[in-house]
Amino acid sequence: MDGAGADGHGAPEPTTLVEGRTLWVAYRAHDPEFPGWGHHETDTYLERHPDTEPFGVLRFDDVVQHELGAPSEDRLRHHPLWGKGLDYYSFHMLEAVDGRTRWLVTFHDETLDVTAMAAKASPLIFASNHLAAIENVRRAT
């Protein structure tokens, strides 16, 4: 994930959608290291569809808690897990006490903290906005 976006489109601005015990998260994926970025089909698609942009979409199932908010990258060094592997712009997976998994995803302006039974990341998806990206993945599953 890239805080500023490889092409200047800004921060990933993660957006969440809760559906029962399922949490959907979509974020702008302008990082050149994101899977699928820089592939000729990706570039061609974006040229043909100027009203779309690439998104990453995450799905968490059987969620027991989730929070999207502080700390931002400026305050991440104050997180209790800093110095124990927590890093900027990364996905982190920790074991939770009840057998579920805890995920921490550090974005530019905020951190996602989720405890759930399972998580899945979709391939790069093209949409006009965050919620449209989630809907495209929902329809495909």
Side-chain angles (χ1 to χ4, degrees):
M1 286 177 283
D2 180 348
D7 59 0
H9 281 254
E13 298 177 337
T15 298
T16 60
L17 174 69
V18 177
E19 239 178 8
R21 292 183 61 132
T22 299
L23 172 68
W24 295 91
V25 180
Y27 59 92
R28 286 190 176 97
H30 292 283
D31 186 338
E33 294 183 23
F34 191 89
W37 190 265
H39 188 275
H40 71 279
E41 290 178 16
T42 300
D43 296 337
T44 301
Y45 186 91
L46 289 171
E47 287 172 12
R48 290 185 186 157
H49 300 90
D51 295 337
T52 63
E53 57 184 313
F55 287 91
V57 177
L58 308 172
R59 175 184 174 160
F60 296 92
D61 293 315
D62 195 18
V63 174
V64 293
Q65 76 80 29
H66 74 277
E67 182 177 347
L68 178 63
S72 68
E73 69 177 313
D74 297 336
R75 309 264 320 142
L76 194 59
R77 289 182 176 268
H78 301 286
H79 192 282
L81 294 175
W82 187 260
K84 298 177 182 173
L86 188 65
D87 202 3
Y88 300 108
Y89 319 123
S90 300
F91 289 77
H92 306 277
M93 190 171 75
L94 303 96
E95 283 295 317
V97 203
D98 61 359
R100 287 179 169 81
T101 303
R102 181 178 177 196
W103 287 271
L104 291 174
V105 184
T106 54
F107 292 98
H108 174 66
D109 292 324
E110 50 214 329
T111 298
L112 174 67
D113 186 344
V114 180
T115 302
M117 191 58 73
K120 182 177 181 182
S122 75
L124 194 63
I125 188 105
F126 301 97
S128 58
N129 60 58
H130 294 76
L131 295 177
I134 291 171
E135 185 57 31
N136 289 346
V137 174
R138 283 177 62 220
R139 280 195 307 248
T141 57

